Amino acid sequence: METTNSKLNSPASAKGIEQEIDAKGYFIRQKNVFTTPFGEGKDQLPIEAGRYRLIWAKGCHWSNRAAIVRELLGLEEAISINLVGHGKHEQNLGWEFVYDENGIDPVLGAQFLSELYANADPHYEGRTTVPAVIDITTGKVVNNDYVWLTNYFENEFSSLHKPGAPDLYPIHLRNEINAYNDFLYENVNDGVYKAMFAKSIEAYNDAFNHLYAALDSIEERLAANRFLFGDYVTDSDVRLYVTLARFDTYYFKYLGPLRNRIVDFKNLWGYARDLYEVPAFKNNTYLQDMAKSHRSKSGVFMDYNSRFWDQLDYAGIWSAPHDRQTNSADPEQKFIIKK
Ligand SMILES: N[C@@H](CCC(=O)N[C@@H](CS)C(=O)NCC(=O)O)C(=O)O
């Protein structure tokens, strides 16, 4: 019998991050290539219900934020979604539709995400990454711009939002949100990767110090504010949350000796649980899967997750009560609702 692998073009093994390490051992992330904006203008990707499919991965916070925002805004009918993971191959073949029957995305007919990148650009040289938005009519990746994707969903897709969708990107706060998102990107979102991917101790220490300085400043900001911009959740909160959700579950293994876990920051930890209570956050946060170690349970030394994963109830830990509503003038409401 033919296997799905031989039926389809198997991709070359996935690219690593070697080309993104500079001479001093610092990780410098590759630039996004598919950055055509969504919108109604000429040369923009048209806004059309049912035209696009968002591909994401449980462990990847860049893509997790798009999945959360899509659900918060009620775009489930307008933008379809699917998950990729890693199949069991000798080589790393990159993201694959491992959760689907026969390992094939039922809408796009692909086994590997790299096929959809190749449809868009057969000469694409970079890593094939999530999030990726696919135009279902062509099977091509049209946008992998993780920086702006949630803002497109919030702004350009507003005609397709559910009635009563939250306003995560209020016009009067946009400049401040954009500036804060840059700070989060440099120090926290990409900050963890800068530390985890650093190849020199100098680059590692630098990233580690920036990460903790940022967490300290956020901890202080959250002493007086329920969310980053006060009483209501904004785009910035989604960006911070997705990194926090991975910190004590699996980043810690690669971050080296931690100064503090997230549970050690009173405000940050309460804040993370406050967000986790919201179904769109919880439904797209696979804590138990993220914590699962891929190491086999053999050998004398086994990492913490390998030993205790099945004894730890991450969803239960994250559902513990908090008192964050006392920081809000509108404690019953977490969102600005669009009129
Ligand atoms: N698109 C960005 C960020 C997205 C990103 O790094 N996604 C990761 C998962 S968190 C990915 O898809 N990695 C696949 C790979 O490196 O093969 C980039 O190119 O650096």
Side-chain angles (χ1 to χ4, degrees):
M1 204 183 90
E2 247 188 350
T3 65
T4 49
N5 258 324
S6 56
K7 250 195 303 195
L8 293 163
N9 285 337
S10 266
S13 87
K15 299 242 165 11
I17 55 156
E18 302 75 26
Q19 53 195 346
E20 294 158 72
I21 302 292
D22 78 3
K24 288 185 152 180
Y26 282 75
F27 170 61
I28 315 283
R29 185 171 290 281
Q30 67 180 7
K31 291 254 180 312
N32 283 322
V33 172
F34 300 94
T35 54
T36 305
F38 290 90
E40 301 296 355
K42 194 166 114 2
D43 301 330
Q44 293 189 320
L45 298 165
I47 305 301
E48 224 177 89
R51 178 148 182 181
Y52 302 105
R53 194 159 174 82
L54 170 67
I55 309 301
W56 76 290
K58 292 174 185 175
C60 174
H61 76 68
W62 305 116
S63 63
N64 192 184
R65 67 195 195 193
I68 292 172
V69 167
R70 168 185 172 269
E71 192 168 326
L72 278 173
L73 299 174
L75 285 169
E76 293 98 319
E77 294 290 310
I79 302 171
S80 71
I81 199 161
N82 203 3
L83 276 165
V84 283
H86 285 289
K88 290 196 173 77
H89 307 285
E90 260 173 46
Q91 284 170 305
N92 174 12
L93 298 180
W95 294 121
E96 186 174 351
F97 291 98
V98 291
Y99 303 105
D100 292 301
E101 211 180 316
N102 300 322
I104 306 290
D105 179 285
V107 172
L108 301 165
Q111 180 181 356
F112 293 97
L113 181 63
S114 56
E115 296 169 47
L116 308 169
Y117 272 82
N119 289 346
D121 176 2
H123 307 295
Y124 179 71
E125 290 272 300
R127 289 181 292 114
T128 51
T129 57
V130 287
V133 177
I134 318 300
D135 184 339
I136 295 171
T137 64
T138 60
K140 295 179 180 178
V141 172
V142 287
N143 188 294
N144 72 346
D145 195 352
Y146 63 98
V147 178
W148 292 107
L149 197 51
T150 55
N151 304 121
Y152 293 134
F153 288 178
E154 289 150 5
N155 201 28
E156 307 303 334
F157 281 80
S158 60
S159 60
L160 303 175
H161 290 175
K162 69 181 175 190
D167 188 356
L168 301 171
Y169 199 37
I171 288 176
H172 71 283
L173 286 175
R174 274 189 197 177
N175 288 343
E176 278 182 76
I177 289 177
N178 290 347
Y180 205 77
N181 286 351
D182 286 347
F183 160 81
L184 288 176
Y185 175 84
E186 283 304 330
N187 298 286
V188 181
N189 302 139
D190 207 36
V192 287
Y193 288 104
K194 286 178 189 165
M196 292 190 294
F197 295 168
K199 290 279 194 258
S200 69
I201 196 69
E202 175 201 348
Y204 170 82
N205 285 339
D206 210 6
F208 191 89
N209 292 337
H210 279 96
L211 170 63
Y212 274 99
L215 292 177
D216 287 341
S217 90
I218 299 167
E219 176 71 359
E220 210 176 301
R221 186 175 176 117
L222 292 174
N225 296 298
R226 182 177 190 178
F227 300 110
L228 290 170
F229 283 91
D231 293 344
Y232 305 109
V233 174
T234 65
D235 183 81
S236 299
D237 294 298
V238 180
R239 292 177 190 231
L240 174 57
Y241 166 88
V242 290
T243 295
L244 299 181
R246 286 156 179 78
F247 208 97
D248 296 358
T249 42
Y250 78 93
Y251 289 161
F252 73 92
K253 289 194 282 182
Y254 308 105
L255 276 174
L258 293 182
R259 205 199 75 188
N260 316 85
R261 303 164 301 172
I262 297 306
V263 297
D264 301 319
F265 290 97
K266 179 175 181 296
N267 301 327
L268 267 169
W269 177 223
Y271 161 89
R273 283 174 290 152
D274 199 4
L275 291 170
Y276 183 71
E277 271 172 7
V278 177
F281 283 81
K282 186 181 289 183
N283 296 341
N284 291 289
T285 309
Y286 293 84
L287 292 167
Q288 205 72 29
D289 290 349
M290 294 195 292
K292 187 165 188 180
S293 185
H294 298 291
R295 274 200 46 183
S296 63
K297 283 199 173 201
S298 59
V300 178
F301 283 107
M302 284 189 290
D303 64 58
Y304 176 89
N305 290 31
S306 299
R307 284 177 292 148
F308 304 124
W309 175 81
D310 47 6
Q311 298 170 49
L312 289 167
D313 170 17
Y314 287 92
I317 295 168
W318 276 67
S319 301
H322 61 84
D323 61 0
R324 295 291 302 166
Q325 52 284 359
T326 57
N327 290 13
S328 173
D330 188 7
E332 298 307 316
Q333 184 56 262
K334 297 187 191 182
F335 298 98
I336 301 173
I337 300 301
K338 278 209 242 155
K339 299 281 177 307

